[in-house]
């Protein structure tokens, strides 16, 4: 739940929307990282009510978003992991110039609610916890999953973890796998692991921590550039920052 008052939300939106008050209502097709689902659903609903625009989100992992950007048909903007824009073909589908960083979130470990919490406070403790676990759930085919694999490599346990890893297709599936006991640990972005049925053990230790940064950009060929820019601007307001923080992510302060 967001702690924002209705008045604060309305004021934040009014400041963003005043320049496009006379623009006809648009339907915005938005590509977004799956870990941004919580904040974008809430902020999108606020934006829709205040602006009259309709937002249609397509959430996905980094490979899925690259595919959607390049072969998935028209879209108006993205709020995606930076790694999406490192793909040259996908980058060409977005407007040239700088992007707008919206939020970041680091990696963590979770167990099923009520299960003993192992030690992850140091690099060696995390290494031993991972090696002792019967199984872990993560999404290797994602920006966050790639960072998890890099941590395994830095700890020298990549081979050992291959047999323990239960590959999931999306954030909700990680939560489900751990809550059902199909995986002993969830290892992923900490905001995804902050979910009913799970207990967060803790973040990765600082020396191993890797953030995924979600950045926003207007599509190169959008016909709704003003409305798309307005939504991106709204995502940078203090109103939006409070929602992002409440959802377990760190907003970029401006």
């Amino acid at each position: 739940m967001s702690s924002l008052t209705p008045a604060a939300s309305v004021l934040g939106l009014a400041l963003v929307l005043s320049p496009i008050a006379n623009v006809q209502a648009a339907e915005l097709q938005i590509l977004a990282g799956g870990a941004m689902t919580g904040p974008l659903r809430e902020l999108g609903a606020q934006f829709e009510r205040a602006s009259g625009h309709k937002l249609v989100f397509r959430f996905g992992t980094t490979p899925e978003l690259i595919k959607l950007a390049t072969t998935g048909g028209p879209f108006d903007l993205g709020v995606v992991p930076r790694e999406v824009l490192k793909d040259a073909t996908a980058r060409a589908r977005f407007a040239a110039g700088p992007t707008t960083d919206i939020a970041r979130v680091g990696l963590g470990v979770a167990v099923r609610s009520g299960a003993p919490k192992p030690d992850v406070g140091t690099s060696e403790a995390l290494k031993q916890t991972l090696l002792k676990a019967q199984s872990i759930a993560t999404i290797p085919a994602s920006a966050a999953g790639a960072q998890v694999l890099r941590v395994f490599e830095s700890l020298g346990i990549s081979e050992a973890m291959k047999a323990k890893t239960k590959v999931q297709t999306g954030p909700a599936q990680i939560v489900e796998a751990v809550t059902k006991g199909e995986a002993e640990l969830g290892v992923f972005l900490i905001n995804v692991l902050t979910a009913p049925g799970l207990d967060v053990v803790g973040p990765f230790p600082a020396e191993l921590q890797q953030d995924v940064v979600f950045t926003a950009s207007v599509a190169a060929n959008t016909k709704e550039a003003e409305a798309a820019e307005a939504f991106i601007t709204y995502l940078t307001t203090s109103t939006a920052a409070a929602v992002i923080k409440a959802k377990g992510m760190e907003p970029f302060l401006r």
Side-chain angles (χ1 to χ4, degrees), residues 99-119:
T99 60
T100 303
D101 290 339
I102 302 299
R104 61 157 50 98
V105 63
L107 302 169
V109 178
V111 295
R112 183 165 60 174
S113 290
K117 292 183 177 181
D119 185 3

Side-chain angles (χ1 to χ4, degrees), residues 62-135:
T62 293
E64 290 168 345
L65 293 168
I66 290 171
K67 186 175 181 180
L68 284 170
T70 54
T71 64
F75 66 97
D76 299 294
L77 71 144
V79 186
V80 298
R82 281 180 180 168
E83 286 75 8
V84 171
L85 300 182
K86 292 178 181 177
D87 181 276
T89 306
R91 184 68 183 90
R93 296 295 307 277
F94 291 87
T99 60
T100 303
D101 290 339
I102 302 299
R104 61 157 50 98
V105 63
L107 302 169
V109 178
V111 295
R112 183 165 60 174
S113 290
K117 292 183 177 181
D119 185 3
V120 297
T122 66
S123 296
E124 184 59 27
L126 176 63
K127 177 179 178 178
Q128 293 306 317
T129 288
L130 292 169
L131 288 173
K132 290 174 183 176
Q134 294 297 309
S135 55

Side-chain angles (χ1 to χ4, degrees), residues 36 77-82 85 91 94-104 213-218 228-229 231-237 244 252 254:
M36 287 292 294
L77 71 144
V79 186
V80 298
R82 281 180 180 168
L85 300 182
R91 184 68 183 90
F94 291 87
T99 60
T100 303
D101 290 339
I102 302 299
R104 61 157 50 98
V213 175
F214 294 87
T215 193
S217 180
V218 175
E229 289 282 9
F231 184 57
I232 291 174
T233 299
Y234 180 55
L235 294 179
T236 69
T237 62
I244 290 167
F252 280 83
R254 292 168 175 86

